Amino acid sequence: MTQLKTDAYIRDLFEFLSIPSISAQKKHKKDMLKASRWLEKKLKSLGFQVKILPTAGHPVVYAERLPKPSAHRHTLLLYGHYDVQDPGNLDEWSSEPFKPEIRSGNIYARGAADDKGNFYTWIAALEELSKKSKIPTANIKFLIEGEEEVASKNLEDFITQNKSLLSADICLISDSRCLSETQPAITYGLRGILYTEVHVEAFEKEIHSGLYGGNVTNPTIVLAQIISKLKDEKGKILVPGFYQNVRKLTASEIKKLNKLPFGEKEIIQETGAKKSFGETDYSIPVRAGARPTLDVNGVWGGYQGEGEKTIIPGKATAKISMRLVPNQDPESIKGKFEEYVRDITPDTVGVEIKFLSSGKPTVMDIDNKFFKKADAAYKKVFGKKPIYELSGGSVLATAAIKEILGVDSILMGYGLPDDGIHGPNEKFSLTMFTKGIKTNIDFLKSL
Amino acid sequence: MTQLKTDAYIRDLFEFLSIPSISAQKKHKKDMLKASRWLEKKLKSLGFQVKILPTAGHPVVYAERLPKPSAHRHTLLLYGHYDVQDPGNLDEWSSEPFKPEIRSGNIYARGAADDKGNFYTWIAALEELSKKSKIPTANIKFLIEGEEEVASKNLEDFITQNKSLLSADICLISDSRCLSETQPAITYGLRGILYTEVHVEAFEKEIHSGLYGGNVTNPTIVLAQIISKLKDEKGKILVPGFYQNVRKLTASEIKKLNKLPFGEKEIIQETGAKKSFGETDYSIPVRAGARPTLDVNGVWGGYQGEGEKTIIPGKATAKISMRLVPNQDPESIKGKFEEYVRDITPDTVGVEIKFLSSGKPTVMDIDNKFFKKADAAYKKVFGKKPIYELSGGSVLATAAIKEILGVDSILMGYGLPDDGIHGPNEKFSLTMFTKGIKTNIDFLKSL
């Protein structure tokens, strides 16, 4: 294969990365539109017909390039998302999150790996083929949403309403990772999610800790007690019935997963943890992909300023999310979670439980012929067959695409374990960027 | 007694209340100086010799007016503080905290009751007597600190270094409350305090909750577990040895305390709590004044923004303070607290325990002759004898003044239970302001 026009693609991608399209924050609504228009312009330049379609939230960018019909023509659905996570504390970033730059072989920016850069490998692959007049024979449809980072709130409705528009034989998603620059991976299962906010209120306003301390409850302590009853000190989730429908893995699945190079060493290297922590009955790769979790994503209440403030806070809040695995049903878990939290909340406080979003877990059929083609493309570019992984993350689109459209998704992602997605200094490896474009080209040519 | 020049005093006090002298926050250093200079000018106008004396933190305003020596002349030490608490969430204030205003018979401002307005009753009393050329015969010294709200960090050192300057027969402090506009009270005991910050760290940066959830610890959950092991669900503090030196009240003390009109009804009315909560073996007034407490004053970790962020926080922090009673020793509790927290912290995280401040609890000798004079002054102005109260709050100066100078303090405070000190919409009753000035005048005249 000849040299790619990598420099031009990087310049182009940098434009896309510069748009702070943070879907969770209302103040970035204009940036969301800007990012969708950027995609519209880009895909039009590649000969696609593009529509920016409204949803109850941020719009979906839909694009299609359908050669004249042929009975043997395959239809690909390329899924990606143009929204990104909030960059968090800017002090922890070495360069500004929305001013992309290259340092030692990596692109640093919010969204570099998740998902703008990762997804851009498909755009670059199509552009590359266009330049060489090797237009793929397959029908290609793009479904690029703006709400992946807020649990694809409106995607299920959108897919339901646009079923025929989105019909396809296979969906391709580059929103996952390989194990290293030399070991490719295909994700064949993803966890679902249930994201909640628990609000505990004891007083309308904070009160004096000297005058009332000893005679009233403390909502931050009550919230701590609730949290400590959600998960025990061995990592077991205590919500009754939580594990009820968790699919048991087959012995051969466990064996395959346990071959993954994801153990104590990798956990420590990638996260900086002192050691791993989790259910001792399961191995690290099994825990990562096939076991549900419960985590507090944020907690606050009372005085957070400098020095002392001698008050009892009036309220306390925690953001608590659960990652779900097949065959847990988010709706059923929602009921169990709410009932349990109400049950363990003392009558000295009021409690409100908000459900921010939810999405179902999925597992794909890897015997699908398109998996074999993806497998071959990886083999050709990386020189190694991909490992099949159950990811701990959630790409909620996969469940909706499977359930509503009846289409499996192949997660051909080019991130790396140390990309730091969702955290500060998110990066995307230039080597993976190039290999990703090449793998996509190969896959497209194989159809 | 003739009419007081209340309007003039209010105008004057409003100037003082307009200065945002928040001692806990470095950005208010200039305001702290401004407040100390305001006092300097004011006391000079009343014939005092004034010095602004440096400490390792905010300066102390010292002032004296010493008539020619006489064997029978009493020396009074008037203690107050010119610093205030941070106003907290401004949205919860009906008027701006540093733009004092009068609404339905109350002065609303941060510091109105704690302690600027309360303390100003002494300035007004002295001004009133001056105007009528009834200068009190006693020697009068002022000790006005700028660090009461940050646990009087440097006061012990200051008093030690200025022992002879501050020598006195009795100390008077208006930084407490009466029970109502018709029921005066003298506080004869105050709780001490130990204020800490507990920092739990699992990762340097936040990490992706999907990729790592189930395989790593979560510092916000660990902190919740620590907090829930500090105090049980019945309100008992679980730090081993915490209650060891708590002074047992005599039967007659308990009987007296239980006569205080401070019960379930008052707790609910004053705080808005659904119900009271505390150690069931003790009554509400005993719990308020004679039992130690442990409260979380603030807690935070991870994402606090709008919507979802799917991360595991790297760190979590809680501000935890304990109110101590005689004969608990803050230094000994410090050791016990630190040892216990280290003991219950799992090895998956690092923990750091910072001690922000501490102060000893105190109880006064109410048989002191000055107590009798204060008692009589209250009786004259309010028409009722004061109730003797053990306060749940802490005025740490009292312990230092007693231990280093050997001087008892009489807490003649004019706040009311619903003043909302430390919270939003702090107020000070105009009726109490006037009665306070009159009671102080009467006390000064009785010497």
Side-chain angles (χ1 to χ4, degrees):
Chain A
M1 190 177 290
T2 54
Q3 196 58 39
L4 301 178
K5 310 244 175 253
T6 316
D7 285 358
Y9 299 137
I10 290 172
R11 273 198 303 277
D12 199 36
L13 173 60
F14 273 26
E15 253 188 55
F16 192 27
L17 289 171
S18 302
I19 308 167
S21 46
I22 304 167
S23 50
Q25 296 173 355
K26 288 193 190 87
K27 65 177 176 193
H28 287 288
K29 207 180 161 182
K30 273 192 186 163
D31 297 312
M32 292 300 294
L33 279 178
K34 199 174 164 190
S36 66
R37 294 232 176 84
W38 187 91
L39 283 169
E40 180 186 34
K41 196 177 153 197
K42 183 73 209 170
L43 293 172
K44 274 188 179 167
S45 79
L46 296 175
F48 279 79
Q49 286 197 295
V50 190
K51 290 178 200 167
I52 296 180
L53 297 171
T55 73
H58 298 296
V60 163
V61 178
Y62 173 79
E64 58 180 30
R65 198 171 72 181
L66 314 174
K68 282 184 189 142
S70 145
H72 302 295
R73 232 184 268 290
H74 295 303
T75 300
L76 308 183
L77 183 63
L78 300 179
Y79 166 90
H81 64 90
Y82 65 88
D83 64 325
V84 298
Q85 287 261 334
D86 166 65
N89 184 355
L90 297 183
D91 294 344
E92 294 180 3
W93 284 78
S94 303
S95 54
E96 288 184 41
F98 298 106
K99 285 193 180 159
E101 65 174 55
I102 292 175
R103 295 198 301 277
S104 46
N106 293 299
I107 299 169
Y108 282 88
R110 169 55 87 232
D114 183 13
D115 176 42
K116 288 175 177 169
N118 216 331
F119 170 69
Y120 187 90
T121 58
W122 288 100
I123 294 176
L126 288 166
E127 191 162 337
E128 194 70 22
L129 289 171
S130 290
K131 275 180 194 155
K132 297 185 179 131
S133 304
K134 288 179 179 168
I135 308 292
T137 53
N139 293 319
I140 296 173
K141 295 176 176 181
F142 274 100
L143 166 62
I144 314 168
E145 71 158 322
E147 300 193 308
E148 200 276 338
E149 300 297 4
V150 290
S152 301
K153 289 179 209 222
N154 297 294
L155 192 68
E156 223 176 272
D157 281 355
F158 180 84
I159 293 176
T160 307
Q161 285 153 20
N162 295 279
K163 242 178 111 167
S164 61
L165 190 71
L166 300 168
S167 68
D169 299 304
I170 190 74
C171 176
L172 297 166
I173 303 179
S174 291
D175 194 15
S176 56
R177 63 180 197 181
C178 290
L179 297 179
S180 72
E181 289 185 350
T182 55
Q183 179 57 64
I186 290 179
T187 298
Y188 73 101
L190 287 149
R191 293 199 277 204
I193 199 164
L194 179 60
Y195 205 111
T196 78
E197 251 178 39
V198 176
H199 297 261
V200 171
E201 178 168 340
F203 325 104
E204 210 187 309
K205 295 162 186 176
E206 56 192 35
I207 60 172
H208 192 290
S209 71
L211 299 181
Y212 301 107
N215 275 317
V216 290
T217 192
N218 182 316
T220 53
I221 296 181
V222 168
L223 183 61
Q225 288 162 345
I226 292 172
I227 291 170
S228 65
K229 283 178 187 167
L230 290 175
K231 200 169 172 178
D232 75 12
E233 294 182 22
K234 291 180 170 173
K236 191 184 159 197
I237 297 157
L238 302 171
V239 177
F242 184 80
Y243 292 104
Q244 202 171 289
N245 297 311
V246 171
R247 180 178 77 99
K248 280 211 169 157
L249 299 187
T250 62
S252 98
E253 249 180 320
I254 294 173
K255 210 173 149 185
K256 250 189 226 163
L257 283 173
N258 285 344
K259 280 190 186 147
L260 286 172
F262 187 53
E264 186 72 17
K265 198 184 79 189
E266 287 75 15
I267 293 281
I268 292 170
Q269 264 176 9
E270 294 168 21
T271 69
K274 291 173 80 178
K275 59 197 297 194
S276 71
F277 170 78
E279 296 170 286
T280 46
D281 292 349
Y282 301 89
S283 68
I284 287 177
V286 170
R287 288 186 327 215
R291 294 293 297 170
T293 68
L294 182 148
D295 267 299
V296 172
N297 311 102
V299 67
W300 67 97
Y303 184 61
Q304 301 184 27
E306 196 183 332
E308 302 95 325
K309 190 170 187 190
T310 45
I311 48 128
I312 300 176
K315 298 163 190 141
T317 306
K319 290 186 190 265
I320 299 171
S321 66
M322 287 149 270
R323 298 276 176 171
L324 307 177
V325 298
N327 298 308
Q328 287 180 299
D329 173 41
E331 281 306 309
S332 147
I333 300 288
K334 207 181 265 192
K336 286 169 182 161
F337 181 83
E338 176 150 16
E339 192 186 337
Y340 180 60
V341 171
R342 293 203 177 282
D343 201 46
I344 59 176
T345 302
D347 64 358
T348 46
V349 299
V351 67
E352 194 193 350
I353 301 152
K354 287 184 191 164
F355 291 99
L356 302 192
S357 59
S358 67
K360 290 176 187 151
T362 36
V363 188
M364 304 301 159
D365 168 21
I366 60 173
D367 293 331
N368 186 309
K369 66 177 171 188
F370 295 100
F371 270 88
K372 308 252 177 287
K373 287 179 192 290
D375 197 290
Y378 271 119
K379 175 83 171 66
K380 197 161 165 195
V381 174
F382 286 78
K384 244 188 211 172
K385 279 175 83 67
I387 276 177
Y388 285 80
E389 214 185 350
L390 285 172
S391 167
S394 307
V395 180
L396 301 177
T398 54
I401 289 167
K402 184 162 182 142
E403 283 197 13
I404 304 164
L405 302 178
V407 174
D408 269 349
S409 295
I410 308 178
L411 285 107
M412 299 174 71
Y414 304 107
L416 287 176
D418 66 350
D419 281 345
I421 63 172
H422 294 204
N425 300 316
E426 176 178 350
K427 69 154 181 71
F428 190 45
S429 149
L430 282 176
T431 303
M432 292 305 287
F433 184 54
T434 313
K435 284 192 175 178
I437 298 169
K438 286 182 181 171
T439 307
N440 293 348
I441 290 173
D442 231 80
F443 179 82
L444 289 168
K445 281 163 75 181
S446 74
L447 298 175
Chain B
M1 189 177 295
T2 53
Q3 196 57 39
L4 300 178
K5 309 244 176 254
T6 314
D7 286 357
Y9 298 137
I10 290 173
R11 273 197 304 277
D12 199 35
L13 172 59
F14 272 27
E15 253 187 55
F16 192 26
L17 289 171
S18 302
I19 307 168
S21 47
I22 304 168
S23 50
Q25 297 172 354
K26 287 191 190 89
K27 64 178 177 193
H28 288 287
K29 206 178 164 184
K30 272 192 185 164
D31 297 311
M32 292 300 296
L33 279 178
K34 200 174 164 191
S36 66
R37 295 232 175 83
W38 187 92
L39 284 168
E40 180 185 35
K41 196 177 154 196
K42 182 75 211 167
L43 293 171
K44 275 189 176 166
S45 79
L46 296 174
F48 280 79
Q49 285 198 295
V50 191
K51 290 177 198 167
I52 297 180
L53 296 170
T55 73
H58 298 294
V60 163
V61 179
Y62 173 78
E64 58 180 29
R65 199 172 69 183
L66 314 174
K68 281 184 189 142
S70 145
H72 301 294
R73 230 186 269 289
H74 296 304
T75 299
L76 308 182
L77 183 64
L78 300 179
Y79 166 88
H81 63 91
Y82 64 89
D83 64 327
V84 298
Q85 286 262 334
D86 166 64
N89 184 356
L90 297 182
D91 293 343
E92 293 180 4
W93 285 78
S94 302
S95 54
E96 286 183 42
F98 298 107
K99 287 193 179 160
E101 65 173 53
I102 293 175
R103 294 197 300 276
S104 46
N106 292 299
I107 299 169
Y108 282 88
R110 167 56 84 232
D114 181 15
D115 177 41
K116 288 175 177 170
N118 215 331
F119 169 69
Y120 187 90
T121 59
W122 288 100
I123 294 177
L126 288 165
E127 190 161 340
E128 195 70 21
L129 289 170
S130 291
K131 275 180 193 153
K132 298 188 178 126
S133 304
K134 289 181 177 165
I135 308 292
T137 52
N139 292 320
I140 296 174
K141 295 176 176 180
F142 274 101
L143 165 61
I144 314 167
E145 72 157 322
E147 301 193 306
E148 201 276 339
E149 300 297 2
V150 289
S152 302
K153 289 177 209 224
N154 297 293
L155 192 68
E156 223 175 272
D157 281 354
F158 180 84
I159 294 176
T160 307
Q161 285 153 20
N162 294 281
K163 243 179 111 165
S164 61
L165 190 70
L166 299 169
S167 67
D169 299 305
I170 190 73
C171 176
L172 297 165
I173 303 180
S174 291
D175 193 16
S176 58
R177 63 180 197 179
C178 289
L179 296 179
S180 71
E181 288 185 350
T182 54
Q183 179 56 66
I186 290 179
T187 299
Y188 73 100
L190 288 150
R191 292 198 278 204
I193 198 165
L194 180 60
Y195 205 111
T196 77
E197 252 177 36
V198 176
H199 298 261
V200 171
E201 178 168 339
F203 326 103
E204 211 186 309
K205 296 165 185 172
E206 55 192 36
I207 61 172
H208 190 290
S209 70
L211 298 182
Y212 301 107
N215 275 316
V216 290
T217 193
N218 181 316
T220 53
I221 296 181
V222 168
L223 183 60
Q225 288 162 346
I226 292 172
I227 291 170
S228 64
K229 284 178 187 167
L230 290 175
K231 200 169 174 179
D232 74 13
E233 294 181 23
K234 289 179 172 174
K236 191 183 158 199
I237 296 157
L238 302 172
V239 177
F242 184 79
Y243 293 104
Q244 201 171 291
N245 297 312
V246 170
R247 181 177 76 99
K248 280 211 170 160
L249 300 187
T250 63
S252 98
E253 248 180 322
I254 293 173
K255 212 173 151 188
K256 249 190 229 163
L257 282 174
N258 285 344
K259 279 190 189 148
L260 285 172
F262 187 53
E264 186 72 17
K265 200 185 77 189
E266 287 74 16
I267 292 281
I268 292 170
Q269 264 174 10
E270 293 168 20
T271 68
K274 292 174 80 177
K275 59 198 297 192
S276 71
F277 170 79
E279 296 172 287
T280 47
D281 292 349
Y282 301 89
S283 68
I284 287 175
V286 170
R287 285 183 333 212
R291 294 293 297 170
T293 69
L294 181 146
D295 267 300
V296 173
N297 310 102
V299 66
W300 67 97
Y303 183 61
Q304 301 184 26
E306 197 183 331
E308 303 95 323
K309 190 171 186 188
T310 45
I311 49 128
I312 299 176
K315 298 162 189 140
T317 306
K319 290 186 190 266
I320 299 170
S321 66
M322 287 148 270
R323 298 275 175 172
L324 308 177
V325 297
N327 301 307
Q328 286 179 299
D329 173 41
E331 281 306 310
S332 147
I333 300 288
K334 210 182 265 193
K336 286 171 182 162
F337 180 84
E338 175 149 14
E339 192 186 338
Y340 180 61
V341 171
R342 293 202 176 281
D343 202 44
I344 60 177
T345 301
D347 63 358
T348 47
V349 298
V351 68
E352 194 192 350
I353 301 154
K354 288 183 190 166
F355 292 98
L356 302 192
S357 58
S358 67
K360 289 177 188 152
T362 35
V363 188
M364 305 299 159
D365 169 20
I366 60 174
D367 293 330
N368 185 309
K369 66 176 169 186
F370 294 100
F371 270 87
K372 309 253 178 284
K373 289 181 192 289
D375 196 288
Y378 271 119
K379 176 82 172 64
K380 196 160 166 198
V381 174
F382 285 77
K384 244 189 208 170
K385 280 177 80 68
I387 275 177
Y388 286 79
E389 213 184 353
L390 285 171
S391 168
S394 307
V395 180
L396 301 177
T398 54
I401 289 167
K402 186 163 179 140
E403 284 199 11
I404 304 163
L405 302 178
V407 174
D408 269 349
S409 295
I410 309 180
L411 284 106
M412 300 174 72
Y414 304 106
L416 287 177
D418 65 350
D419 280 347
I421 64 173
H422 294 203
N425 299 315
E426 175 178 352
K427 69 154 181 72
F428 190 45
S429 149
L430 282 175
T431 304
M432 292 304 289
F433 184 55
T434 313
K435 285 191 174 177
I437 298 169
K438 288 182 179 169
T439 308
N440 294 348
I441 289 173
D442 231 81
F443 178 83
L444 289 168
K445 282 162 75 180
S446 74
L447 298 177

